[in-house]
Amino acid sequence: LPIKFERKEISIRVPSQYAGKTYGTIKSMATILKEGWLDDGSWKGVVEIPAGMQNELFDKLNAMTHGSIEAETLKIEKA
């Protein structure tokens, strides 16, 4: 039986004061598809992650940033 995995493409914005310390966590848990620094020093990226790991990533990022990240699901792919 083939196993199907869902992957999510998510846009994440991290405020400047937390961008440095969250970058390693994001990079270790997700594939960064696009990234850049905004004029205010915030980091914004589009990442791809297995759907089952999304909550773990958000839990870690929210703990590190006291809940100040912004995230939006852009696409859900069934593989």
Side-chain angles (χ1 to χ4, degrees):
L1 292 171
I3 298 174
K4 294 191 177 193
F5 293 103
E6 273 191 0
R7 298 190 65 75
K8 289 189 174 187
E9 203 169 286
I10 302 168
S11 172
I12 300 174
R13 190 183 80 71
V14 181
S16 59
Q17 67 266 39
Y18 305 112
K21 73 177 187 178
T22 58
Y23 186 79
T25 301
I26 294 168
K27 191 170 180 154
S28 70
M29 295 185 71
T31 302
I32 298 173
L33 303 176
K34 293 182 213 171
E35 65 177 314
W37 296 93
L38 304 179
D39 291 339
D40 65 358
S42 298
W43 180 87
K44 185 166 185 176
V46 175
V47 301
E48 185 179 67
I49 189 167
M53 291 184 63
Q54 177 183 336
N55 287 344
E56 182 182 349
L57 175 64
F58 287 167
D59 288 347
K60 285 184 179 186
L61 293 178
N62 282 323
M64 296 170 88
T65 66
H66 307 284
S68 62
I69 65 162
E70 295 173 18
E72 176 186 359
T73 300
L74 302 175
K75 184 165 63 170
I76 299 172
E77 252 181 41
K78 294 182 193 292

